[in-house]
Amino acid sequence: VRSRGVVVVDDVERVADRWPAWVEGARSLGVESAYGIPLHVRTAVVGALNVFHEERAALGPREFAVLAALGGAAGAALVQH
């Protein structure tokens, strides 16, 4: 949410220096990759749609496009609420 952009972690080991506590928790749950899509409400980012997977580099372009569309729909739904 801080970066206001998409976060792609295709291999949690690659971010161990940056987020050691998060990687330790991810490892304990069997997470190998993670993806975060910001939820936009008008001009603000109000949260993120996070997806975790047990395989490295789990999402290809097609799956990532679906995830981005779901993030857009979730943000739009928040506006309607």
Side-chain angles (χ1 to χ4, degrees):
V1 174
R2 285 185 207 156
S3 72
R4 301 180 57 88
V6 173
V7 175
V8 175
V9 179
D10 278 328
D11 182 351
V12 298
E13 295 302 322
R14 292 185 185 161
V15 296
D17 290 341
R18 184 173 181 189
W19 299 315
W22 182 85
V23 170
E24 184 179 334
R27 282 187 201 134
S28 73
L29 296 171
V31 172
E32 294 290 336
S33 59
Y35 307 88
I37 303 293
L39 300 179
H40 295 273
V41 173
R42 297 180 184 87
T43 60
V45 175
V46 297
L49 171 62
N50 298 305
V51 173
F52 305 96
H53 205 282
E54 60 191 11
E55 296 178 16
R56 291 184 181 119
L59 299 184
R62 184 175 181 179
E63 293 87 1
F64 198 79
V66 170
L67 181 60
L70 287 173
L78 291 172
V79 170
Q80 299 300 318
H81 189 310

